[in-house]
């Protein structure tokens, strides 16, 4: 439990009972959030389900945002053996290129894997709003593209429904148009 989120009615002193109460509140908030999610209403624009925020969840989100904005950022990276991914790409590359005219890259494979993982864990496809957490129905994915004058992030819409070949074609088109300065603002 993050002790910064525990109310301390005793000044700057924290007692075991304060932690127990905070854990109980967290459990109640989680239960309420689950109930709210189960009975959540559609968002006004029809793009997903809106889950209303509890007071605790709003406070947690605000503090997490403040932490992100006010502290030095650290990221964890891991090394892994990607030889099976390279082998899988080699197996499908010829067929995908013949059918779609674009040779798939490791990036295309990773985009497909990521989209599949996000679809299996839909909490990753949510957006914070002032009213609550919006669980998005569509899964769109941005791809960072470095240009001479900066970084842009073109988006492949509905990526989870695309094959690796379709992702490769979309990525290739976005990169080509992005480098030529022909991407629309949306």
């Amino acid at each position: 439990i993050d002790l910064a989120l525990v109310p301390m009615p005793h000044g700057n002193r924290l007692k075991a009972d304060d932690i127990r109460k905070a854990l109980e509140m967290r459990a109640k908030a989680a239960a309420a959030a689950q109930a709210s999610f189960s009975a959540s209403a559609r968002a006004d624009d029809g793009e997903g389900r809106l889950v209303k925020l509890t007071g605790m969840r709003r406070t947690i989100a605000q503090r997490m945002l403040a932490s992100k904005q006010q502290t030095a950022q650290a990221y964890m990276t891991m090394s892994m053996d990607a030889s099976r991914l390279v082998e899988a790409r080699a197996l499908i590359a010829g067929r995908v290129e013949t059918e779609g005219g674009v040779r798939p890259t490791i990036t295309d494979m990773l985009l497909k894997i990521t989209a599949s993982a996000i679809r299996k864990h839909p909490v990753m496809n949510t957006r914070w709003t002032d009213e609550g957490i919006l669980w998005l129905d569509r899964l769109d994915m941005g791809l960072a593209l470095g240009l001479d004058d900066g970084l842009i992030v073109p988006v492949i819409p509905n990526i989870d429904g695309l094959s690796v070949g379709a992702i490769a074609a979309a990525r290739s088109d976005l990169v080509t148009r992005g480098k030529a300065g022909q991407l629309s603002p949306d």
Side-chain angles (χ1 to χ4, degrees):
I1 186 166
D2 182 353
L3 297 180
L5 299 176
V6 177
M8 291 187 272
H10 319 288
N12 286 334
R13 299 187 65 133
L14 188 62
K15 296 184 177 183
D17 196 43
D18 298 330
I19 294 174
R20 278 191 283 278
K21 287 179 184 175
L23 288 171
E24 288 173 13
M25 286 177 49
R26 188 165 78 176
K28 287 179 185 176
Q34 181 61 40
S36 176
F37 172 74
S38 300
S40 61
R42 285 227 160 252
D44 290 339
D45 59 7
E47 66 178 316
R49 295 177 308 278
L50 181 66
V51 177
K52 298 288 185 178
L53 296 175
T54 62
M56 178 179 268
R57 182 170 267 192
R58 182 179 305 277
T59 300
I60 290 169
Q62 288 169 341
R63 290 193 179 163
M64 288 178 68
L65 179 60
S67 172
K68 181 83 171 166
Q69 292 173 336
Q70 298 168 2
T71 61
Q73 302 304 303
Y75 296 91
M76 182 176 82
T77 60
M78 295 176 61
S79 296
M80 61 180 281
D81 179 2
S83 57
R84 302 273 316 263
L85 181 62
V86 173
E87 291 170 9
R89 181 189 162 274
L91 285 173
I92 67 167
R95 181 179 50 84
V96 168
E97 187 172 16
T98 300
E99 291 175 4
V102 178
R103 190 160 188 83
T105 65
I106 295 296
T107 298
D108 301 326
M109 303 284 288
L110 290 172
L111 289 168
K112 179 63 176 176
I113 291 167
T114 303
S116 296
I118 291 172
R119 189 49 70 198
K120 288 181 183 176
H121 302 280
V123 71
M124 299 299 297
N125 194 32
T126 59
R127 183 181 324 144
W128 171 263
T129 71
D130 288 337
E131 293 80 34
I133 299 170
L134 182 60
W135 291 66
L136 300 169
D137 293 330
R138 284 177 41 142
L139 178 52
D140 301 340
M141 194 173 300
L143 175 66
L145 177 59
L147 302 175
D148 290 338
D149 56 345
L151 179 74
I152 60 171
V153 184
V155 174
I156 300 174
N158 294 314
I159 194 168
D160 58 320
L162 300 179
S163 66
V164 172
I167 292 171
R171 185 245 336 129
S172 177
D173 175 61
L174 289 173
V175 168
T176 300
R177 289 190 297 133
K179 289 182 176 179
Q182 299 173 340
L183 289 174
S184 63
D186 64 319

